[in-house]
Amino acid sequence: MQLQRIILLTFLTLISFKSVFSQEKTNPGTLVTDRPDQTESPTLVPKGYLQIETGAFYEDAGEDAFKQKTTTFNTMLLRYGLLDNLELRVGWDFAETKTEINGTELDDIASGLSPLLLGAKIGITEEKGILPEIGLLGHLHLPFSAGNDFRPETTGVDFRFSFAHTLSKKSSLSYNLGAAWGDDSPEAAYVYTFVYGYSITDNLGVYVELYGDLPEDSRANHLWDAGFTYLLSDSIQLDATVGSGITEGQNLLLSAGVSVRLPN
């Protein structure tokens, strides 16, 4: 485990230094993030840039007889623009889950790292008229990198196609379609997201989103969230989100975070 962490830190350090010293003279424009909503953008991080997206969220799920309250302290996602149409992605979360039965909190608290996420995003096509911008994302979730409380037996896999339409100078529509395999189950869960975004000012944007998954042999899950983003500069963005389940399951979701693109 120690060796794996050293390898990962070395990899990320090399990417960071390469990003800092390979800054291109062209203006990369305003950063586009994959947080705070569940919809992944088809837009890639510009070549040679490192983008750090992190935050925290709180989720209350379950019913009165059995509830789980999860606080994720660090939802870290590192995105690096390797090529004009290829982005590398590394993610790792640290979470704590408390369980309540009939209103009584159990002493046994699950905490630790989630499986390390390794993946890539590929730019397929730019937006042309009524045709959307399209990207493809895929990830592996490596079980050996997780803490004991969150370690599955098998490797998780997910992929999704991402689409984005510009509706006007102030509004946009994005959506994802894909599938995921995980939680030590061969069952596929088909994933969907739809998000509408509106720019109130050049710096302040709001959004509302519908998302969920449809497992092959289980009950479908449908949820919603809404929030805002605020640009401190072209390379720094703050965000906040609130959400809940439409079907039974999630009672409350709260999230806040920051995204930074280097160099800036």
Side-chain angles (χ1 to χ4, degrees), residues 34-232:
D34 282 344
R35 61 165 300 123
D37 55 22
Q38 304 297 317
T39 302
E40 307 278 14
S41 167
T43 302
L44 280 67
V45 172
K47 179 180 176 181
Y49 284 79
L50 175 68
Q51 194 157 301
I52 304 169
E53 303 181 12
T54 188
F57 74 82
Y58 170 80
E59 181 186 35
D60 182 320
E63 301 176 355
D64 291 338
F66 181 84
K67 280 189 175 183
Q68 287 190 317
K69 298 180 179 181
T70 300
T71 303
T72 302
F73 299 98
N74 178 33
T75 60
M76 178 68 72
L77 175 65
L78 303 179
R79 304 169 56 195
Y80 178 71
L82 184 65
L83 302 172
D84 289 336
N85 64 341
L86 178 62
E87 167 190 308
L88 301 181
R89 302 161 66 85
V90 178
W92 220 351
D93 301 340
F94 184 90
E96 178 182 89
T97 298
K98 299 179 181 180
T99 302
E100 289 185 5
I101 297 179
N102 295 322
T104 301
E105 184 177 304
L106 303 184
D107 294 332
D108 187 17
I109 298 175
S111 64
L113 292 166
S114 65
L116 177 70
L117 176 148
L118 290 178
K121 181 190 292 188
I122 300 171
I124 295 177
T125 183
E126 296 181 355
E127 186 176 9
K128 297 177 182 178
I130 63 172
L131 298 178
E133 180 183 1
I134 304 174
L136 172 62
L137 299 86
H139 303 102
L140 296 175
H141 303 259
L142 306 179
F144 62 80
S145 61
N148 291 332
D149 291 337
F150 298 105
R151 181 178 299 171
E153 295 294 329
T154 59
T155 300
V157 179
D158 71 72
F159 79 91
R160 63 178 67 188
F161 287 94
S162 178
F163 307 87
H165 295 268
T166 300
L167 302 180
S168 69
K169 290 183 178 180
K170 288 184 173 290
S171 63
S172 63
L173 176 68
S174 299
Y175 48 96
N176 292 174
L177 297 170
W181 292 261
D183 297 326
D184 294 329
S185 172
E187 179 184 19
Y190 300 102
V191 178
Y192 75 90
T193 72
F194 294 93
V195 62
Y196 172 77
Y198 185 82
S199 298
I200 298 175
T201 69
D202 290 341
N203 299 91
L204 179 63
V206 294
Y207 75 90
V208 61
E209 179 181 43
L210 175 68
Y211 65 99
D213 61 76
L214 297 88
E216 290 178 313
D217 299 317
S218 304
R219 179 177 57 87
N221 301 294
H222 305 292
L223 309 96
W224 70 273
D225 61 21
F228 73 88
T229 60
Y230 186 80
L231 284 166
L232 295 178

